[in-house]
Amino acid sequence: MDAASEVEQENGFAGKRGAAKIQERLQKRHQARTDDSDRRKETKENHSVAEEKLEYFSSTFNTERASIEQLLSSCSGAERGVVSQRLEEATAKTAQLKKFLNDSVLFLTQYELRQAQAALQKLQTSLAETREEALPKKKFAFRARSKAADKVASSASDSPDGATAAGTVKVDGAAASEQCGFSNIDSEFLTKTSEEIQNRDVLLTHLTNCKVRLFGSPSTLHLKHIDSCEILCGPVSRSVFVDHCRNSTLAFPCQQLRTHNTTDTQVYLHVTSRAIIEDCHGVSFAPFSWSYPNLEEDFNVSGLDRGRNNWSQVDDFNWLAAGTPSPNWSVITEITFCGNALKASMTI
Amino acid sequence: MGLLTILKKMKQKEREMRLLMLGLDNAGKTTILKKFNGEDVSTISPTLGFNIKTLEHKGFKLNIWDVGGQKSLRSYWRNYFESTDGLVWVVDSADRLRLEDCRKELSALLLEERLAGATLLVFANKQDLPGALSKEAIREALVLDEIKSHHWCIIGCSAVSGENLLAGVDWLLDDIAARIFTAD
Ligand SMILES: Nc1nc2c(ncn2[C@@H]2O[C@H](COP(=O)(O)OP(=O)(O)OP(=O)(O)O)[C@@H](O)[C@H]2O)c(=O)[nH]1
Ligand SMILES: [Mg+2]
């Protein structure tokens, strides 16, 4: 009801009944004002919760970062056994810090996120450098090595073949850097940043129970032997290829999606040409709904057309009968995904 | 019809070539075809069936057949073998996990009687991807050096950038032309 008609009414209802009406209205207004100020208070409280979270994030992040830097700098000049122990600790702490950052993504501003990502990147670089300097031979065996192997290696620390070893490491390093992705991992939270995957071919194989977040725009994405995972990826400029995937949730924008031997899997999809399935059943589709701070930018990088999403036009290569819909795929009707997925990523 | 016209007609027919493009699904066949023809490649869908394109190149009239490579379509490939002059086998060089599949499918094709006379061009596609194997690695993985039954050549290329597509097609045309049109 607008103000003018209210005034008219007031004039029209002079007298006792009018006075009561005015009284009532005043009462209502008072109530509304109180509600309003309550609401403002609440927003303010929410705001300060966010601020607190941010404060907590910054101080924790910085403390952890400092302690990792400390660990790294204490490596120079230390004996080999000690160094390898410290490096191991620094590696674990860096991984934790990365996870902490991922878990905090929701309440960080883009600026804070970038700062933290840059800091993390720097840490990873200096970790790699320290490792190369101190333990050239063991660069790539490092993570998988047991404590016992450590001792053997440290007692052999004065072997004179440091130079040749470093040479081999470089070759390995080049090979490793070409292959981008994750494989043979169970029950972990895995992430890649934009710098790590941009314009690359990313491969995820033999993952079970993992949550994967790929923040960026790869050129292509291959998923093979995926079980009970949740895999969310930024805009893929060309095709996504899925093979032997079960019981999982996937989300990405892409140019083409090819899905093979996949069962009981939900796909939250933005596809600019077509999605196809072959030898699949129980695959369901809904529009892509995940979001993260740099999504817009990554969409631009990918060159994908945002206004063109054929997520519900799926060709089943095993069901080319015209007229009858394929029983192997369906459309997801509820639209609860976005919130759920993000909550899940917060609580892992 | 005068003799000259008939001769001209025969000549025209002679300058026609039939090329067949095959390879696993997702290899980039349709993208190569469209890029070569100067069309937009961002709207290409996985091929359900086949595409045929007729184009002029270097004075030849090329009929290029691009057949879908999904598993369920491969049994239909044989419908397209007849009178093929050139076979273009397209490989996704970054798809290491299916190289063995790729090798098997190719070696089965090379046993086909109806393809016996065809020249083989292997495109090691997607060389723009950082994880792509080199054309030498693909040559080894597909054991190309064992092929004695066909003239063959492998060329690294990228359908999205267009790099080397022309070089590949030119080699193929030269080889076919040398084989067919100068035979008599
Ligand atoms: N990065 C990169 N991607 C490519 C290249 N060539 C093709 N692609 C992409 O690979 C995907 C598959 O390409 P298509 O041309 O549809 O493959 P196809 O061989 O015709 O596949 P089918 O029709 O299923 O047999 C598409 O997303 C293309 O954009 C390339 O040279 N580099
Ligand atoms: Mg195609």
Side-chain angles (χ1 to χ4, degrees), chain A residues 256 258, chain B residues 25-26 28-31 44-49 51 66-69:
Chain A
Q256 289 181 353
R258 295 151 180 274
Chain B
D25 48 302
N26 199 44
K29 298 178 290 296
T30 310
T31 309
I44 295 169
S45 297
T47 306
L48 229 176
N51 301 299
D66 156 34
V67 186

Side-chain angles (χ1 to χ4, degrees), chain A residues 178-179 199-201 203 205 219-220 222 224 238-239 241 255-256 258 260 272-274 276 278 308 315 317 320, chain B residues 25-26 41-48 70-73 92 94-98 126 128-132 160:
Chain A
E178 281 162 18
Q179 199 80 106
N199 292 325
R200 303 190 66 108
D201 42 320
L203 174 64
T205 55
S219 182
T220 145
H222 279 239
K224 200 157 191 171
R238 312 217 161 262
S239 60
F241 192 93
Q255 189 231 331
Q256 289 181 353
R258 295 151 180 274
H260 303 261
T272 58
S273 75
R274 284 289 182 123
I276 67 118
E278 191 178 60
R308 186 186 174 119
D315 289 323
F317 274 61
L320 300 175
Chain B
D25 48 302
N26 199 44
V41 299
S42 70
T43 55
I44 295 169
S45 297
T47 306
L48 229 176
Q70 295 291 148
K71 232 189 203 137
S72 48
L73 297 179
D92 175 349
D95 189 358
R96 295 156 195 248
L97 297 179
R98 291 201 299 164
K126 307 201 185 182
D128 58 291
L129 295 174
V160 298

Side-chain angles (χ1 to χ4, degrees), chain B residues 59-72:
Chain B
F60 293 106
K61 185 176 167 200
L62 308 180
N63 295 310
I64 310 181
W65 297 72
D66 156 34
V67 186
Q70 295 291 148
K71 232 189 203 137
S72 48

Side-chain angles (χ1 to χ4, degrees), chain A residues 204 207 221-229 231 240-252 257-268 275-285 314-318 326-330 332, chain B residues 25 70-71:
Chain A
L204 309 180
L207 302 184
L221 174 64
H222 279 239
L223 311 179
K224 200 157 191 171
H225 301 294
I226 303 294
D227 187 358
S228 309
C229 291
I231 299 173
V240 175
F241 192 93
V242 180
D243 198 6
H244 288 100
C245 171
R246 52 185 288 244
N247 204 18
S248 294
T249 297
L250 314 175
F252 37 69
L257 169 63
R258 295 151 180 274
T259 318
H260 303 261
N261 308 299
T262 291
T263 54
D264 305 319
T265 289
Q266 292 83 48
V267 187
Y268 292 82
I276 67 118
I277 59 173
E278 191 178 60
D279 305 322
C280 294
H281 59 90
V283 185
S284 50
F285 293 87
V314 180
D315 289 323
D316 182 351
F317 274 61
N318 305 111
S326 159
N328 298 321
W329 68 276
S330 61
I332 301 172
Chain B
D25 48 302
Q70 295 291 148
K71 232 189 203 137

Side-chain angles (χ1 to χ4, degrees), chain A residues 79-135:
Chain A
E79 95 175 69
R80 190 159 185 154
V82 176
V83 167
S84 98
Q85 207 170 25
R86 284 182 187 160
L87 278 178
E88 194 129 27
E89 196 181 334
T91 307
K93 279 182 159 228
T94 308
Q96 260 168 1
L97 192 59
K98 191 170 177 183
K99 182 174 173 313
F100 177 61
L101 173 58
N102 290 329
D103 291 350
S104 310
V105 156
L106 258 198
F107 58 83
L108 297 180
T109 66
Q110 198 149 312
Y111 173 77
E112 288 147 358
L113 180 62
R114 286 234 185 92
Q115 292 289 97
Q117 277 171 337
L120 197 60
Q121 190 76 47
K122 223 171 115 196
L123 269 184
Q124 282 170 329
T125 313
S126 63
L127 179 61
E129 279 168 6
T130 313
R131 188 177 296 160
E132 174 128 44
E133 246 165 59
L135 309 163

